[in-house]
Amino acid sequence: MRSNGMSEGLPWIGVLIILVSVLISSVSSNAFFYKFDVPKWIVFDLFICASLVYAYIKKVDIEVGGFGWLCIALLLPMFVSLLNAVNYYEGVMFILRYVGSLLIACFMLKRVWQRYGIKLLFDSIIFSSVIFSLIYVESRINDYELIHVTAFSSFGFINNLGQVLNIWLPVLVAAILYQGKVNARSVCGLLSFIVCIFALLESGTRGTILGLLLGELILFLLMFNKLKRQAFTYLVITASLIVGGVAYSQLDSYLDGRLSKKIQSIKNLDTGRAELFANTFDMVLEKPLGVGVNNFEYLHPKYARLGTEGASPKVGQNSILKTPHNILLKFYSETGWLGGLVFSVMFALLFFKSMVNAYYGSQSDRWLLVAVVSTLFHSLFTALFLTPGSLFFAILLFSFVLYRNEQLTDKKTTKKQFVRFSYLPVLLVIYVGFFSSNHLASYYSHTGYVSGNELYMQRSFELNPYDSKALFDYYILQRHLYKDNDKALSALENFLSLYPYHTSGLLATAELMIQQHDYAGAMTRLDFLLTFYPSLARAHEMKAIAQKQLEPSPSL
């Protein structure tokens, strides 16, 4: 595999990619509601802006091939789906990030990989995984009792780590073998590989484990006839998981089962995925144009079969489910049949192109196939591609796979320049302005809520009036801290305009209306709530109270 240009010295774009890889894997801040994802999104957005500025200065042009046209075509159903969206802001945010990610992938395919080859990809993974490993080991030594599902590692939520390990583990194997000798990179890569295996076993993320095993099995079957003697060497991760599992069990026994007890809650096989997928499919059938890009969270409670055995998991009075945990169903439900079909073709093409690379390419290409298979498989059961860590490393992986496919098939992209980077200042201004206000609003809303600072909450709404969580937090402050039920009710009304099927929001609105003697308004809210949650006892109790107050008094 060609790796030209690295000997010329790594320019700032290469340093930037490695730096962002490290920051995405480690940065966190208590200044935001979820201290892991928001700081990583800030790093991700800064990376997009800085890279596009560099591309603009260098006058890089985009050449569109077949896969690129599919990516562009997906924008049409995204925009059409906004007609059904209740929260346009979230839809615009998703589209902007999609466009930014697409342009970065094109830029890397055109300039970065062409000049620096796979060594930059390997260095990014090695450096970031080493930093992650150091943080992970330190947390287990000093802060183990503070570890929990939502703060499992420097990536935050336990599944977020698994989403990244789908890519890291196979690429680390490829990077170690690529060195061809014992050096600093191979030693660091091996040590971080061992730590990452242990982290995967501790997390027990089944989607990652099954994805990696499936990827190695596909690679083994693909190469068995061509390289019978070497085929079994492509089961390194499988063997590592077996050996690691034995070592993990032994260590756990010395700690009186402490490790197992810590993650026992996530070992439950009843994940509710089947019910969630079935209920999401109901959304697709009823909304063939989609419910609106990135609007799944706001409308799914209507289809969640609440109060029944077929209810979607984690949807109820808190309504915290943000995704169908299946990337294909996300696009089908949010952008309709057309958007889902286009994305499915892109999904299948990535798999096919990585297979071609593995069969005709080098050893590194074969391990990248494992990463692609594992990532695509896991995306069918989790929110992969929707978190900053998984999205960033997926962009690196997929853009390089597409670049290698062009090399190996000797396929030249169309020479017609479809988009010139010289036309991007307007997009950059929009992107910077949108996400600067978004991240600043997140800071003000969280700080204002924690400190009870109403001024900060107002600043948050000025920057982003479509933050449903901030509106609900503002309702809580007004009702319980400031005791202002009028402002609390107003905040809830604004909240429900964005989140119309939120169970707690509807119940709270009806309760405040009853307190203010607006019994007819309370009845309207409760009747609407009972249309999609007919068995909710609290709603029936409140409806009986309102109904009694509306009954005419008996004449004397």
Side-chain angles (χ1 to χ4, degrees):
M1 181 177 293
R2 182 163 59 102
S3 179
N4 56 336
M6 293 297 290
S7 59
E8 302 171 10
L10 195 65
W12 83 267
I13 189 65
V15 174
L16 176 65
I17 291 172
I18 294 175
L19 176 62
V20 171
S21 301
V22 170
L23 291 175
I24 285 280
S25 306
S26 59
V27 69
S28 63
S29 172
N30 287 317
F32 303 97
F33 165 67
Y34 189 47
K35 71 175 187 178
F36 297 102
D37 274 5
V38 177
K40 296 178 193 300
W41 279 124
I42 294 174
V43 173
F44 181 88
D45 293 329
L46 288 173
F47 168 67
I48 286 183
C49 293
S51 299
L52 292 182
V53 167
Y54 178 83
Y56 169 69
I57 293 173
K58 294 296 184 179
K59 302 187 186 305
V60 179
D61 299 323
I62 301 175
E63 297 172 355
V64 182
F67 193 87
W69 281 109
L70 282 173
C71 295
I72 294 171
L74 187 56
L75 286 170
L76 174 61
M78 282 186 181
F79 281 111
V80 172
S81 74
L82 291 177
L83 297 173
N84 292 327
V86 294
N87 194 328
Y88 299 101
Y89 185 95
E90 291 295 321
V92 171
M93 180 172 68
F94 187 90
I95 291 173
L96 277 176
R97 279 222 177 99
Y98 172 78
V99 172
S101 300
L102 183 60
L103 290 175
I104 287 299
C106 291
F107 169 59
M108 297 187 73
L109 193 155
K110 176 72 182 293
R111 281 292 180 93
V112 176
W113 304 131
Q114 184 179 22
R115 184 177 179 187
Y116 305 115
I118 200 171
K119 190 175 180 183
L120 179 58
L121 174 64
F122 288 162
D123 284 351
S124 300
I125 302 298
I126 290 174
F127 278 97
S128 56
S129 64
V130 166
I131 297 301
F132 163 82
S133 297
L134 292 174
I135 297 173
Y136 176 85
V137 171
E138 187 276 335
S139 69
R140 267 53 188 175
I141 294 174
N142 297 325
D143 304 315
Y144 191 80
E145 296 305 323
L146 301 177
I147 303 300
H148 52 84
V149 170
T150 56
F152 182 78
S153 72
S154 58
F155 285 102
F157 184 60
I158 194 165
N159 285 348
N160 293 7
L161 171 61
Q163 295 166 10
V164 174
L165 293 182
N166 287 114
I167 298 172
W168 275 9
L169 288 171
V171 175
L172 280 172
V173 174
I176 295 168
L177 297 175
Y178 179 84
Q179 305 306 316
K181 59 182 178 180
V182 177
N183 56 23
R185 284 183 171 86
S186 62
V187 172
C188 289
L190 178 60
L191 292 176
S192 60
F193 176 83
I194 294 171
V195 173
C196 288
I197 286 287
F198 188 88
L200 176 57
L201 291 168
E202 184 185 6
S203 72
T205 308
R206 294 182 299 275
T208 304
I209 295 172
L210 293 175
L212 290 168
L213 295 179
L214 178 63
E216 289 206 322
L217 177 61
I218 289 176
L219 177 60
F220 173 79
L221 296 175
L222 179 68
M223 303 308 299
F224 185 74
N225 286 331
K226 184 176 182 180
L227 300 169
K228 289 185 179 180
R229 293 183 179 180
Q230 297 182 23
F232 286 95
T233 64
Y234 298 122
L235 301 177
V236 169
I237 295 177
T238 301
S240 299
L241 287 171
I242 294 173
V243 174
V246 174
Y248 179 88
S249 300
Q250 291 297 317
L251 177 61
D252 197 23
S253 66
Y254 288 123
L255 295 175
D256 297 323
R258 188 178 66 156
L259 300 177
S260 297
K261 292 175 184 177
K262 198 72 177 179
I263 60 171
Q264 187 62 38
S265 62
I266 67 168
K267 295 285 189 180
N268 188 354
L269 293 175
D270 185 16
T271 62
R273 291 289 195 271
E275 294 81 1
L276 173 59
F277 294 166
N279 298 342
T280 302
F281 190 68
D282 289 342
M283 297 176 68
V284 179
L285 293 177
E286 186 171 319
K287 295 285 188 179
L289 295 180
V291 299
V293 61
N294 217 29
N295 271 238
F296 174 90
E297 172 187 1
Y298 305 104
L299 293 173
H300 183 70
K302 176 183 177 182
Y303 306 90
R305 303 180 190 178
L306 296 173
T308 71
E309 292 183 356
S312 297
K314 298 184 179 179
V315 178
Q317 293 196 25
N318 292 322
S319 298
I320 60 173
L321 189 67
K322 295 180 177 294
T323 167
H325 289 274
N326 180 300
I327 194 64
L328 296 181
L329 282 178
K330 175 179 174 65
F331 276 91
Y332 276 106
S333 63
E334 293 183 353
T335 63
W337 289 98
L338 178 59
L341 180 61
V342 173
F343 187 80
S344 296
V345 174
M346 294 165 54
F347 192 91
L349 272 177
L350 274 172
F351 172 65
F352 175 75
K353 288 177 180 291
S354 63
M355 290 267 288
V356 171
N357 292 358
Y359 192 79
Y360 293 106
S362 67
Q363 180 172 244
S364 296
D365 293 303
R366 291 159 197 157
W367 285 108
L368 295 187
L369 169 64
V370 177
V372 170
V373 171
S374 182
T375 300
L376 295 181
F377 173 82
H378 197 190
S379 71
L380 301 179
F381 301 96
T382 188
L384 208 151
F385 307 130
L386 305 179
T387 56
S390 64
L391 178 59
F392 173 77
F393 288 108
I395 290 173
L396 296 187
L397 173 66
F398 293 155
S399 63
F400 186 83
V401 166
L402 293 174
Y403 163 72
R404 278 292 290 168
N405 187 255
E406 288 186 1
Q407 278 192 321
L408 293 170
T409 59
D410 197 27
K411 180 181 177 182
K412 304 299 182 181
T413 55
T414 306
K415 291 302 181 183
K416 179 182 178 182
Q417 294 174 351
F418 183 77
V419 177
R420 293 182 62 88
F421 269 87
S422 56
Y423 300 149
L424 290 184
V426 174
L427 175 62
L428 275 171
V429 170
I430 294 173
Y431 196 100
V432 171
F434 187 93
F435 285 107
S436 295
S437 63
N438 176 271
H439 297 315
L440 191 58
S442 296
Y443 166 77
Y444 279 128
S445 64
H446 175 68
T447 305
Y449 177 68
V450 171
S451 63
N453 189 324
E454 189 173 1
L455 177 61
Y456 270 25
M457 297 296 291
Q458 292 295 339
R459 288 180 181 175
S460 170
F461 298 138
E462 291 173 3
L463 293 166
N464 177 13
Y466 303 97
D467 187 340
S468 58
K469 185 189 182 305
L471 286 168
F472 198 80
D473 288 344
Y474 188 62
Y475 144 73
I476 294 174
L477 285 180
Q478 292 298 336
R479 183 174 183 180
H480 300 291
L481 181 63
Y482 297 113
K483 310 297 182 182
D484 190 332
N485 285 348
D486 288 333
K487 286 187 176 181
L489 184 58
S490 176
L492 278 178
E493 295 288 359
N494 291 331
F495 169 79
L496 289 174
S497 68
L498 302 174
Y499 214 140
Y501 298 95
H502 193 281
T503 305
S504 293
L506 289 166
L507 283 173
T509 301
E511 186 176 355
L512 284 173
M513 286 179 169
I514 289 174
Q515 290 179 7
Q516 296 182 342
H517 308 295
D518 182 7
Y519 303 112
M523 286 285 290
T524 300
R525 291 295 189 184
L526 292 170
D527 285 338
F528 177 72
L529 172 57
L530 290 170
T531 60
F532 63 92
Y533 201 165
S535 63
L536 185 58
R538 179 59 178 159
H540 284 288
E541 293 170 1
M542 293 174 64
K543 183 178 179 180
I545 294 172
Q547 204 164 21
K548 184 176 181 179
Q549 295 296 325
L550 288 173
E551 292 176 355
S553 301
S555 58
L556 298 176

